[in-house]
Amino acid sequence: MSVTKEQVLDALGKVAAPDGTPLPKTGTLSEIVAGDKIFFSLTVDAAVVQAWEPVRKRAEEAVKAIPGVQSAMVALTAERKGGAGAAAPRPQQGAPAHSHAPAAGAAPRGQPTQQGVPGVTSIIAVASGKGGVGKSTTAINLALGLRDLGMKVGVLDADIYGPSLPKLLAIRERPQTVGGTRLKPIERHGLTVMSIGFLIEEETPMIWRGPMVMSALTQMLREVEWGTLDIMVVDMPPGTGDAQLTMAQQVPLKGAVIVSTPQDLALIDARRGIAMFKRVNVPVLGIVENMSTFICPKCGERTDIFGHGGARKEAERLGVPFLGEVPLDMMIRETSDSGLPIVATQPDGPHAAAYRAIAQRVRDQLGSAGAAKPAPKIVIES
Ligand code: ADP
């Protein structure tokens, strides 16, 4: 039995806001995703978040009590007054938008407009111009590669339309709450990970609307006990639409890694991805060419199905670093799809080495693109 939006609103009419107003009249409700699993968010001013947490809880309980509802998830999102959300480019911060490295003598990419996440040194995005190019597989193995370099690494699955971390890491448990409002991330293979997929059922239709996407992302970024991390790898939703642009702008990113397959079409998409990050003034750390060479699982022979080296050439042409290539290999697919990422489970193999080399280059790029370099010393001779 499917529950309608009207039924949900009806139930929420009996839930009062802290000032006694029935919830549907408060203007805090996002779009309601109805069905047998219900999602929506409440967006309130940051100053009154504490007072709203019991309301969020009561709203969730009220919705769960509707006959036919299997599960309900109500997110509470704090918004600073003035309203965030529009995908406006960030103000320029020293480095010109077309450059991935700060210009000599330019002010370092300093305080972005968005707040950082306390305890997290750097946040990078792994993105692709379109789906299915192996973005998530790359993100998790890159994260493990960074772990192997001795870094404390977190992974945030921001692919809200199709979260893949539960599958990539075979995680079925649900995150625990801390103090009623914050979520404890899950630990796997030495990584600290969080995904909207841990909170909802796998078969849930992902009909997210713009404000909900942002509120879910903000929650996963700011209301999760990430602890101290050297780096957080954000697995972005594929594509370069408004949602992605807004995310690229809202998350305090130090840089972005673009994953592409060698086909021309994917590269056109990859170019869009690069353009998107440049638009919001996020340095592109480089391109990873995934599924570059096919390795036959039977004979080990290498075949360049899509033509080889397209991403490297494209990276050169666009003036962004080439971070490395990963072959199309059955072992990568099998390990990735069975929740046993290859860098964690076959650390001595050639693929783990390839991902580690990519991780090393990412770290190097991050050093040059994101580090606050000391200002050049200016000597004035009189
Ligand atoms: P995306 O995040 O871009 O949608 P995924 O990481 O989910 O892509 O990968 C899509 C499919 O391709 C998955 O089945 C995954 O296991 C497989 N895959 C990804 N990279 C490789 C690779 N290098 N070799 C073989 N299969 C791969």
Side-chain angles (χ1 to χ4, degrees):
M1 191 175 66
S2 189
V3 174
T4 64
K5 213 161 141 175
E6 287 65 38
Q7 282 175 283
V8 175
L9 284 170
D10 206 35
L12 292 178
K14 296 179 190 91
V15 177
D19 67 355
T21 314
L23 206 45
K25 296 213 165 91
T26 54
T28 59
L29 280 180
S30 70
E31 283 274 344
I32 294 171
V33 178
D36 45 9
K37 300 187 178 83
I38 315 289
F39 310 101
F40 59 90
S41 63
L42 305 172
T43 305
V44 301
D45 184 27
V48 296
V49 151
Q50 297 281 6
W52 274 81
E53 173 51 27
V55 181
R56 184 201 69 78
K57 224 171 176 171
R58 284 203 300 277
E60 209 165 70
E61 277 155 16
V63 173
K64 271 186 194 149
I66 304 171
V69 169
Q70 282 179 22
S71 66
M73 189 185 128
V74 181
L76 183 59
T77 309
E79 200 173 62
R80 264 168 292 140
K81 279 231 164 81
R90 288 191 206 187
Q92 295 267 322
Q93 291 159 42
H98 58 270
S99 165
H100 62 270
R109 292 186 78 256
Q111 273 51 60
T113 42
Q114 338 83 323
Q115 282 171 281
V117 177
V120 180
T121 307
S122 306
I123 306 182
I124 63 165
V126 176
S128 62
K130 63 168 193 174
V133 301
K135 168 183 57 62
S136 300
T137 301
T138 306
I140 198 72
N141 283 299
L142 167 64
L144 289 161
L146 290 163
R147 175 207 67 175
D148 289 350
L149 299 179
M151 300 176 99
K152 180 82 184 101
V153 187
V155 182
L156 168 57
D157 180 6
D159 191 350
I160 279 161
Y161 301 98
S164 36
L165 261 192
K167 187 172 168 193
L168 280 172
L169 296 177
I171 292 175
R172 273 168 213 98
E173 71 202 70
R174 285 178 183 246
Q176 316 254 303
T177 51
V178 193
T181 51
R182 297 176 69 79
L183 285 172
K184 214 166 147 328
I186 290 176
E187 300 281 331
R188 272 297 182 290
H189 305 297
L191 303 176
T192 304
V193 301
M194 186 64 199
S195 166
I196 196 84
F198 299 155
L199 302 170
I200 55 181
E201 310 294 334
E202 213 174 297
E203 67 276 17
T204 302
M206 299 290 171
I207 342 165
W208 296 83
R209 306 279 187 268
M212 284 185 76
V213 169
M214 281 321 300
S215 70
L217 182 72
T218 310
Q219 280 209 311
M220 289 202 295
L221 212 53
R222 312 213 178 274
E223 290 167 34
V224 167
E225 297 276 318
W226 285 105
T228 307
L229 298 177
D230 295 313
I231 191 162
M232 179 190 282
V233 177
V234 181
D235 184 1
M236 295 279 285
T240 50
D242 280 352
Q244 289 81 355
L245 184 64
T246 307
M247 273 194 187
Q249 192 218 1
Q250 296 280 311
V251 180
L253 294 171
K254 281 249 172 87
V257 171
I258 309 283
V259 181
S260 177
T261 55
Q263 301 99 306
D264 252 341
L265 189 65
L267 285 171
I268 289 168
D269 289 312
R271 263 174 248 161
R272 286 202 193 103
I274 291 170
M276 176 178 83
F277 285 107
K278 286 187 170 170
R279 210 176 133 189
V280 292
N281 214 18
V282 170
V284 174
L285 302 172
I287 300 184
V288 173
E289 183 176 90
N290 190 35
M291 310 189 189
S292 65
T293 297
F294 172 66
I295 301 184
C296 172
K298 295 214 173 75
C299 64
E301 199 196 340
R302 305 172 79 95
T303 318
D304 293 334
I305 298 183
F306 303 122
H308 180 223
R312 184 188 287 272
K313 274 198 215 103
E314 187 59 21
E316 270 168 26
R317 207 182 68 75
L318 292 167
V320 298
F322 182 70
L323 297 171
E325 55 193 46
V326 178
L328 175 65
D329 190 308
M330 187 70 103
M331 280 317 293
I332 297 179
R333 196 202 65 72
E334 278 175 6
T335 50
S336 182
D337 294 351
S338 56
L340 301 162
I342 201 150
V343 175
T345 54
Q346 299 179 25
D348 301 324
H351 300 318
Y355 283 115
R356 273 196 296 271
I358 291 169
Q360 181 65 58
R361 279 178 215 120
V362 166
R363 190 162 79 164
D364 293 347
Q365 284 304 320
L366 206 53
S368 58
K373 288 185 186 153
K377 213 171 163 185
I378 300 169
V379 181
I380 301 169
E381 290 179 39
S382 52

